[in-house]
Amino acid sequence: MSKKAFAAIMALVIAVSVASFAFPAFASAAETAQEAGGIGAFFVELKDGIVEAFVELKDDVYNVLIKNDNYKHITDGLLVTIEITLAALLIGLAIGFLVAIIRSTHDKTGKFKFLNSICKLYLTVFRGTPVIVQLLIIYYLWLGKAGVHENIAAIIAFGVNSGAYVAEIVRSGIMSIDNGQFEAGRSLGFNYVQTMVYIILPQALKNVLPTLANEFIVLLKETSVASFIAVKDMMKGANALVGFTYNMNIPYITVAVIYLVMVLVLQKGVSMLERRLRNSDH
Amino acid sequence: MTTDNVLIKVTGLQKSFGSLEVLKNINTEIKKGEVVVVIGPSGSGKSTFLRCLNRLEEPTGGTIELGGVDITDKKVNINKHREKMGMVFQQFNLFNNHTILKNITLAPVKLGIMKKAEAEQRAMELLKRVGLEEKANAYPSQLSGGQKQRVAIVRALAMNPEVMLFDEPTSALDPEMVGEVLDVMKELAQSGMTMIVVTHEMGFAKEVGSRVVFMDEGVIMEENAPDEFFANPKNPRLKDFLSKVLI
């Protein structure tokens, strides 16, 4: 993503936020203007209203985020969000690669019939139900009862859920590689696993990298439902602020902007990585 | 035991895909330094025969001995034997994500046969031999078909194989590039490499082959030294085939 696009998006975010604060000023100015019967009065009122709204916004930001170090609810939550996302990502990748390799080995050679059926069942269940339902079931019916910390439960739930998607992404990548590459590897004396590791997977990974990165971004955003099992993530932090400051605008918009910035940074990183990998496609 | 001179001994080789019997009882011996050219109409089983030799296709019957070891035995480590059998494919099958040099050195280095520096030196020597040393750092997509196939030959040679298997190496090439690949193969044959070549290049068979094998319907119909093979074919199917491919 270019710098211009980034700036444009940030400007839009700021404009929308400002507009939502300025709207009451606009409405009250219009009302006054109707009563006083003059367009001049409207603009004066509007100006006063906007100035007032900004002062109010400044006060609100101070009261909601700065006072009593309230922002820590969000920043502490952010760390939990990042922790859960990264840990779930690792679990998802591990499960995903394992399942993808079992499934494509089965497709190629007919081996692993039993394991393949288990993998298929896993994919069906975890891709066929909403992640929040999985999270609630895993925590309240299983891990929570066993006394597992809610953060760990969330990591496991999101990791296992993400693994199902990663598995199919990676499998599609493996299947996209021409069988001749596989035969060339085997004919040189590589065994099945070496051929996979040195020849097939690097090419497969390159093909699916954008899709895989997208799954990572989805995962990052999806973890926001972890607050359903009392995980103190960023969303929970925002909810807490709403709870004791009675202000909804600032906490939710702050959280939205933080998510957006993280996603933009990730997208930037992925496009850089893609460009490097593309070196071999001349 | 086989005599010292015999490198590959094929006995009663069979291969079926489901109910389709592609190879029926193939028997032949390939001596060290021999260049065996396999010809035949499409669907005759010649490619399958070649692919059975290094078990890219699993034979359904018979034995293949390489240097006296039966490699169809499930207990042998086929990967070790494949190292001794270089294979060149119709579609080149270079590793697209690696440079030419890496394509050549990947297997010898990862399989622990050579150190990286040694493998690279050897690769450069071989690339020089086929006139492609300046392409060492290029990627396969930057090469022409003929260049790719020459690299594929070098990649197989880098493993120092005892025998080279060629599966229609010029069939996917533009006509003007066939010559450069055949020249490399000719040079390789003259250097004493044992080669088994499945091809439609009758000129190559005549000029370079030490023996020509005609396959049809999953069996070897006729085999002979090239002079006799082309001048005096005995099998009616071979006569028919040659009348179609030779002008």
Side-chain angles (χ1 to χ4, degrees):
Chain A
M1 183 177 294
S2 71
K3 276 186 185 140
K4 267 185 193 166
F6 184 82
I9 289 171
M10 291 317 293
L12 187 70
V13 170
I14 292 164
V16 169
S17 329
V18 170
S20 69
F21 293 116
F23 182 72
F26 185 85
S28 77
E31 209 174 280
T32 320
Q34 225 168 21
E35 283 163 14
I39 191 81
F42 168 76
F43 278 113
V44 171
E45 273 293 324
L46 181 62
K47 195 196 98 205
D48 290 351
I50 288 175
V51 170
E52 206 176 299
F54 267 100
V55 172
E56 212 174 292
L57 175 63
K58 210 183 93 193
D59 291 348
D60 278 353
V61 167
Y62 177 78
N63 286 328
V64 175
L65 291 180
I66 314 291
K67 208 166 89 181
N68 304 329
D69 286 347
N70 278 355
Y71 66 87
K72 282 201 168 141
H73 287 274
I74 288 182
T75 51
D76 289 353
L78 173 63
L79 292 179
V80 174
T81 291
I82 291 173
E83 173 196 313
I84 290 177
T85 305
L86 289 180
L89 176 78
L90 291 181
I91 294 177
L93 285 176
I95 295 177
F97 270 84
L98 191 68
V99 171
I101 288 168
I102 290 172
R103 298 253 296 135
S104 50
T105 302
H106 172 80
D107 289 353
K108 267 194 217 288
T109 65
K111 287 178 190 165
F112 300 146
K113 268 208 179 77
F114 180 66
L115 280 177
N116 185 56
S117 320
I118 292 178
C119 291
K120 271 166 102 170
L121 180 68
Y122 158 69
L123 294 177
T124 307
V125 170
F126 280 88
R127 296 198 309 157
T129 55
V131 65
I132 179 139
V133 177
Q134 295 163 18
L135 180 74
L136 294 176
I137 289 175
I138 285 176
Y139 184 65
Y140 286 116
L141 270 56
W142 180 38
L143 292 178
K145 279 184 180 169
V148 175
H149 191 274
E150 62 267 15
N151 287 15
I152 305 291
I155 287 169
I156 290 173
F158 289 116
V160 174
N161 174 270
S162 182
Y165 291 93
V166 171
E168 287 301 87
I169 292 168
V170 173
R171 191 174 73 97
S172 78
I174 292 173
M175 296 320 257
S176 76
I177 304 301
D178 182 60
N179 202 40
Q181 297 283 313
F182 194 82
E183 291 185 344
R186 294 307 304 267
S187 76
L188 285 166
F190 285 127
N191 62 32
Y192 186 90
V193 174
Q194 288 169 325
T195 309
M196 270 288 167
V197 170
Y198 296 133
I199 294 158
I200 306 298
L201 284 180
Q203 297 186 58
L205 202 58
K206 186 178 138 186
N207 286 356
V208 299
L209 194 72
T211 330
L212 215 49
N214 206 41
E215 170 56 25
F216 180 36
I217 289 168
V218 168
L219 178 65
L220 171 69
K221 293 183 290 178
E222 239 172 24
T223 59
S224 60
V225 301
S227 55
F228 272 75
I229 60 167
V231 169
K232 292 184 185 62
D233 73 331
M234 188 160 67
M235 203 59 221
K236 188 78 175 178
N239 277 331
L241 285 186
V242 171
F244 62 75
T245 63
Y246 307 111
N247 183 316
M248 287 195 180
N249 298 344
I250 290 169
Y252 288 149
I253 287 175
T254 305
V255 165
V257 170
I258 293 174
Y259 272 116
L260 184 61
V261 168
M262 287 195 290
V263 168
L264 290 177
V265 168
L266 284 177
Q267 279 175 346
K268 180 81 187 165
V270 171
S271 70
M272 275 164 60
L273 194 59
E274 265 184 81
R275 213 172 310 135
R276 273 194 56 183
L277 289 171
R278 215 182 294 132
N279 278 342
S280 57
D281 303 331
H282 291 278
Chain B
M1 274 319 267
T2 51
T3 57
D4 287 344
N5 218 8
V6 175
L7 186 61
I8 297 175
K9 185 179 182 191
V10 179
T11 314
L13 181 65
Q14 292 175 333
K15 173 67 186 175
S16 305
F17 294 101
S19 60
L20 181 69
E21 207 178 1
V22 182
L23 297 180
K24 310 164 192 166
N25 194 24
I26 303 275
N27 296 286
T28 191
E29 283 184 2
I30 290 139
K31 296 188 187 72
K32 264 179 199 153
E34 227 185 346
V35 177
V36 177
V37 181
V38 184
I39 64 169
S42 59
S44 60
K46 55 194 191 306
S47 275
T48 307
F49 166 64
L50 195 74
R51 291 160 57 83
C52 277
L53 290 181
N54 67 353
R55 275 176 57 193
L56 275 187
E57 299 290 355
E58 211 57 67
T60 39
T63 59
I64 299 161
E65 285 173 36
L66 176 68
V69 180
D70 178 10
I71 61 167
T72 56
D73 187 343
K74 299 287 178 217
K75 278 178 286 203
V76 305
N77 181 0
I78 187 63
N79 300 313
K80 277 283 155 218
H81 291 284
R82 282 189 181 134
E83 290 176 9
K84 300 181 213 158
M85 307 172 102
M87 188 159 196
V88 176
F89 299 88
Q90 186 177 349
Q91 298 295 341
F92 331 125
N93 298 340
L94 294 183
F95 306 134
N96 298 319
N97 56 329
H98 291 307
T99 62
I100 299 308
L101 191 64
K102 188 83 188 284
N103 260 276
I104 301 165
T105 57
L106 186 71
V109 172
K110 296 287 183 195
L111 290 169
I113 294 168
M114 290 178 208
K115 290 265 175 292
K116 190 162 177 259
E118 186 192 356
E120 283 180 356
Q121 195 194 344
R122 169 102 175 112
M124 290 310 293
E125 280 167 25
L126 289 167
L127 279 176
K128 205 167 181 179
R129 197 164 137 193
V130 301
L132 288 172
E133 71 268 39
E134 80 280 10
K135 297 287 184 191
N137 293 311
Y139 282 91
S141 55
Q142 296 167 296
L143 269 55
S144 72
Q147 291 173 329
K148 282 184 201 174
Q149 195 61 297
R150 283 187 277 159
V151 170
I153 293 171
V154 166
R155 180 175 68 179
L157 284 177
M159 295 292 292
N160 293 320
E162 292 173 15
V163 55
M164 289 281 285
L165 311 176
F166 291 85
D167 188 4
E168 304 201 25
T170 57
S171 298
L173 296 176
D174 291 340
E176 75 267 26
M177 292 171 185
V178 171
E180 63 188 70
V181 171
L182 290 181
D183 285 345
V184 169
M185 290 168 63
K186 214 179 288 177
E187 198 252 341
L188 193 59
Q190 281 157 3
S191 75
M193 175 62 76
T194 313
M195 296 163 66
I196 305 170
V197 186
V198 171
T199 187
H200 295 292
E201 295 293 329
M202 295 304 150
F204 179 84
K206 265 184 194 170
E207 194 187 336
V208 185
S210 37
R211 178 160 46 119
V212 186
V213 172
F214 174 67
M215 280 184 69
D216 196 14
E217 296 178 338
V219 294
I220 293 178
M221 293 261 178
E222 185 162 341
E223 53 184 321
N224 218 330
D227 294 346
E228 183 68 9
F229 184 92
F230 288 106
N232 197 7
K234 293 171 190 71
N235 189 294
R237 283 193 164 276
L238 174 57
K239 283 181 188 167
D240 182 51
F241 179 74
L242 288 178
S243 73
K244 282 173 188 160
V245 295
L246 297 175
I247 309 145

